[in-house]
Amino acid sequence: MGQMGSHGHGSAPIPTPREMLLVAALFALLLFLPSRAPYEETSRPLSAPLPPLKLENTISHPNNSQHHSQPHVSIAKSVVRETTVIKHVPGWTILDSLYMHNGTYYIVSSRPKSKPPQTGYDPAISPFRGFPPPKAILSKGLDVFGARGGMGEEWKRVPDEYDLRYVSTQEFRDLFGIDLEAETVEDGQVHIIPGLTFILNDSPQFVTHYYHFCAELWFGVWRTYASIGGGHDLPPPTRVFFPHVDSAHWRDYANMNQLFMRSLLPSTQLFFAHDWYDWVMLSLVPRFSSKSKTSQGSEKGRPILFPRVLIADRSAAMPAFNYQRFQRTAAVPFGLPIPQGRGRGDWWSPVRDAIRRFAGLDDTSEYGIPGDDESESQTISQMTDPLYSLVQRLPTPPPDRLTVSDLIKPSLDAKFSKWSAPLPTPFIGSDDYEDLVSHFLAPLKHHNNPEGKTDALSVLAASLTRQRATRPVVTYLSRQDWGRRKLRTEDHDRLVAELRKLEVELGIEVVVVSAENLSRWEQIRLVGRSTILIGVHGNGLTSELWMNLSIRSTVIEIFYPKGWAHDYEYTARAMGAGGGLKHYGIWNDQVLTAPGFPPPSYPEGFQGNEIPVDGKTVANLVRNRIGAAGELDEG
């Protein structure tokens, strides 16, 4: 017989070192590999599969072995509490304490249920008394198509219970094991995202367009936000989320969206669809707790808490009355009143002023108020009586006089500081003042020098260095170099000729330019100094957002006859103090303005290149607006 092993007959052979190593590796693999990914245990997986999550933190805890037995920090109820609706109109909502888990928002309330109680999820009816219905807050963030301003196939965009859920505090406790009615909440039960969050729930369809982004989406966002504080002295949002837009497709073709966001909110974080996906995953990470597993609720992970959030949703705003009237989602939040006080209702000025500053416009005396760095003669020039405006027949300026066109050139500062007019030699007294009167529609106010004589020329010279206070600017943004919506060539030429005649007649400055030939900053600087802005219906008129508001500030929009859209009309009318900008629509030789504007219409020829316009009609309107009031021009 062969030799037996040392264990004797029938005993197991001693495993070799290699076999022991294989067994240990297999045991370790079975120990650390979960039988199913954590996201599969949730009530509803995302449409895109989530990768498996680690069950343990790879960073060792200093007391990891005793982690569950350590005392837990408690969070004050004022932080983790039921949801409160601060402001709301359809599509524009500010909430406190909004929760999100696995991509679903949760509104939690202890309010009484609606009567009769809901038997199923109904997006058109709120399950709680006093709360707006789900479809008035949120949608699925899909593209908008169809007739009646995009209202077709609305049923595809309304939210379901996986988008937005309303739950009672008891239901929330059953779901997540979190008692919002307790004085404190155990640390680790929620993931708090501190600060103010803006969630812009639109699809890329309208985000990637200068007008729709700045003058519609953000116009409405800031109007909603201003309803809690007037627009002034409000802190910027901590973050802005675009859950349905990726980081490569929120910029518009003119590169204006990014200029706007980076200059307005330089310290605000921008998050996009992939970042939202990360946060959804974060809400699924298991939490540690001293409580038993059975008390943790039916949902795994921990919800994310937004202490304060503003939600903007295009589809949710579209059924509202003001949208149906103007087909502008930004018209809806104007149902929210602005607190009275500083700014006199000029709720948009914090945004406008920020963009103007980044563009390099000097706004220290935008309303004719002397700045701290102004010379004595410049200060004197501001003493001109506002009731007597330098409107017509301005004397021929010196050859080196600063013009608004210079504002789009890099030599602005040097040219502005060098030009000044010397005192007349020999000194001429009051007789000279009488000569000046004949060159103006209204005289400059007397200024007495130390010798008691009137130094009218020095006052005039100082005034001429302050273009925005003395010389109105008319800017015509031509589309003749663009591909669509162009004037008939002969009408364009006639319009330019009529404006040039006004330049001589009224002493105004006329700028004719194609916006695409200017840089982004140049467009803002030019329009920011314009008193009257003229153009065919198109994206270039979006820059009306950056115009100063004065009694003469005007937008003249040229349409194909019988065509109409409220894009720039409503924006101008809604801009704030003093009733906003005055807007006029032109149908060839017909002038239209509020309240006599027509309903939106897009007839054949609206997008064409044979748009007619009567140059004299436009010129007469400009003449009337320049002489609209007796005060210094602020544009």
Side-chain angles (χ1 to χ4, degrees):
M1 292 180 64
Q3 189 176 9
M4 300 293 296
S6 59
H7 292 284
H9 180 74
S11 63
I14 299 176
T16 66
R18 179 179 179 183
E19 291 171 332
M20 294 179 64
L21 183 60
L22 289 172
V23 171
L26 180 60
F27 178 79
L29 182 62
L30 293 174
L31 178 64
F32 290 104
L33 183 65
S35 59
R36 54 189 305 195
Y39 72 86
E40 294 176 339
E41 298 178 326
T42 60
S43 60
R44 165 234 179 192
L46 295 178
S47 57
L50 290 172
L53 300 176
K54 294 182 179 179
L55 292 180
E56 295 181 352
N57 195 331
T58 55
I59 302 176
S60 61
H61 192 280
N63 297 307
N64 197 46
S65 61
Q66 302 177 1
H67 182 79
H68 298 289
S69 62
Q70 295 297 315
H72 289 269
V73 178
S74 294
I75 304 171
K77 184 182 177 183
S78 59
V79 177
V80 185
R81 58 190 178 89
E82 63 182 270
T83 308
T84 304
V85 178
I86 305 301
K87 297 286 183 178
H88 170 74
V89 289
W92 310 91
T93 310
I94 300 177
L95 304 122
D96 279 0
S97 299
L98 178 71
Y99 299 84
M100 186 276 285
H101 179 262
N102 197 21
T104 303
Y105 297 102
Y106 286 85
I107 288 178
V108 187
S109 179
S110 60
R111 291 192 178 200
K113 294 291 186 74
S114 60
K115 291 185 177 180
Q118 288 190 17
T119 57
Y121 189 89
D122 188 344
I125 300 176
S126 171
F128 293 110
R129 298 180 194 175
F131 270 74
K135 67 174 292 185
I137 297 177
L138 199 73
S139 75
K140 289 186 173 295
L142 302 176
D143 285 356
V144 174
F145 297 104
R148 297 186 297 115
M151 291 297 293
E153 299 186 334
E154 180 189 5
W155 60 272
K156 290 184 178 180
R157 303 190 299 272
V158 297
D160 56 32
E161 59 184 324
Y162 299 118
D163 300 307
L164 176 62
R165 290 184 64 181
Y166 289 55
V167 296
S168 67
T169 51
Q170 176 60 52
E171 290 170 326
F172 195 68
R173 184 163 57 247
D174 294 340
L175 286 170
F176 301 105
I178 301 171
D179 186 359
L180 297 182
E181 297 179 353
E183 289 299 322
T184 58
V185 175
E186 186 179 308
D187 182 34
Q189 288 189 293
V190 293
H191 188 87
I192 301 175
I193 308 299
L196 170 65
T197 303
F198 286 1
I199 297 178
L200 312 184
N201 202 53
D202 291 0
S203 74
Q205 180 185 15
F206 291 98
V207 169
T208 56
H209 188 280
Y210 177 31
Y211 170 80
H212 292 293
F213 185 88
C214 294
E216 189 172 29
L217 176 57
W218 199 265
F219 202 67
V221 163
W222 198 261
R223 184 58 175 74
T224 305
Y225 190 31
S227 69
I228 65 174
H232 295 271
D233 302 322
L234 290 173
T238 311
R239 65 195 64 83
V240 175
F241 246 117
F242 298 86
H244 304 289
V245 181
D246 65 61
S247 58
H249 294 92
W250 69 282
R251 298 167 172 84
D252 67 308
Y253 69 86
N255 296 321
M256 295 297 289
N257 288 358
Q258 54 268 42
L259 175 150
F260 173 80
M261 290 298 287
R262 304 304 186 191
S263 55
L264 175 65
L265 302 172
S267 61
T268 295
Q269 294 177 296
L270 302 184
F271 293 104
F272 300 94
H274 290 85
D275 305 295
W276 184 252
Y277 184 78
D278 292 341
W279 282 27
V280 170
M281 292 174 60
L282 184 66
S283 73
L284 302 176
V285 176
R287 60 180 180 265
F288 296 103
S289 175
S290 60
K291 296 181 179 181
S292 65
K293 217 171 186 183
T294 58
S295 67
Q296 293 302 291
S298 59
E299 296 288 350
K300 305 304 179 183
R302 52 177 174 168
I304 287 175
L305 166 62
F306 299 100
R308 173 159 288 184
V309 59
L310 186 157
I311 300 179
D313 192 292
R314 184 180 190 89
S315 289
M318 290 171 62
F321 175 69
N322 268 359
Y323 177 84
Q324 296 300 309
R325 291 178 65 199
F326 304 112
Q327 294 185 6
R328 299 295 102 206
T329 57
V332 180
F334 281 83
L336 298 171
I338 295 291
Q340 297 300 311
R342 181 171 179 248
R344 301 177 302 281
D346 191 9
W347 59 276
W348 182 247
S349 64
V351 179
R352 179 178 64 244
D353 295 349
I355 304 303
R356 289 170 61 93
R357 281 194 299 270
F358 268 87
L361 290 173
D362 171 21
D363 283 340
T364 57
S365 56
E366 59 183 335
Y367 296 108
I369 302 172
D372 296 335
D373 58 346
E374 295 189 15
S375 67
E376 182 179 356
S377 62
Q378 288 174 329
T379 301
I380 293 169
S381 75
Q382 302 308 302
M383 296 180 181
T384 303
D385 193 334
L387 296 178
Y388 300 100
S389 177
L390 307 180
V391 177
Q392 300 186 51
R393 300 183 64 189
L394 283 172
T396 303
D400 198 33
R401 175 184 175 183
L402 180 72
T403 67
V404 170
S405 297
D406 293 319
L407 291 172
I408 60 176
K409 297 177 182 178
S411 59
L412 166 63
D413 293 339
K415 191 169 186 180
F416 187 93
S417 61
K418 287 179 180 178
W419 188 83
S420 62
L423 291 175
T425 305
F427 178 77
I428 302 174
S430 59
D431 290 341
D432 181 69
Y433 183 84
E434 298 299 324
D435 291 336
L436 286 174
V437 170
S438 65
H439 291 87
F440 290 89
L441 179 67
L444 287 167
K445 204 170 185 180
H446 284 253
H447 166 64
N448 294 326
N449 66 9
E451 280 124 13
K453 295 183 178 180
T454 301
D455 182 8
L457 280 180
S458 64
V459 176
L460 172 61
S463 294
L464 293 180
T465 67
R466 302 303 305 276
Q467 294 301 304
R468 57 184 171 276
T470 61
R471 199 178 191 212
V473 177
V474 176
T475 297
Y476 166 37
L477 293 178
S478 169
R479 290 181 63 93
Q480 297 307 103
D481 295 332
W482 198 241
R484 60 176 183 161
R485 268 186 258 127
K486 298 193 294 187
L487 296 179
R488 294 188 303 200
T489 302
E490 59 273 22
D491 287 3
H492 164 78
D493 294 340
R494 189 174 295 113
L495 173 59
V496 172
E498 292 290 343
L499 293 176
R500 293 301 182 196
K501 286 170 61 178
L502 284 184
E503 189 169 29
V504 176
E505 174 190 341
L506 304 180
I508 62 177
E509 183 180 350
V510 172
V511 180
V512 179
V513 67
S514 296
E516 59 269 20
N517 294 330
L518 301 176
S519 72
R520 299 171 297 169
W521 296 116
E522 288 171 342
Q523 292 180 46
I524 294 173
R525 286 199 291 268
L526 175 60
V527 177
R529 284 290 184 255
S530 298
T531 312
I532 297 177
L533 182 64
I534 304 171
V536 176
H537 172 76
N539 208 24
L541 292 178
T542 304
S543 292
E544 68 181 358
L545 293 169
W546 324 127
M547 293 176 69
N548 270 338
L549 302 184
S550 73
I551 198 69
R552 294 195 195 95
S553 298
T554 308
V555 176
I556 299 175
E557 185 175 4
I558 303 169
F559 292 96
Y560 189 84
K562 305 305 178 183
W564 188 264
H566 280 291
D567 298 29
Y568 308 102
E569 183 279 326
Y570 189 87
T571 304
R573 182 155 46 94
M575 274 183 62
L581 291 171
K582 186 66 177 177
H583 177 278
Y584 295 91
I586 301 292
W587 285 351
N588 194 11
D589 59 355
Q590 185 178 353
V591 179
L592 307 167
T593 191
F597 47 71
S601 177
Y602 308 93
E604 184 178 355
F606 185 88
Q607 304 284 7
N609 295 327
E610 292 293 321
I611 299 174
V613 69
D614 180 62
K616 285 190 176 182
T617 299
V618 176
N620 287 335
L621 180 56
V622 170
R623 182 183 291 104
N624 293 336
R625 292 302 299 159
I626 291 297
E631 75 174 31
L632 291 176
D633 183 74
E634 297 153 0

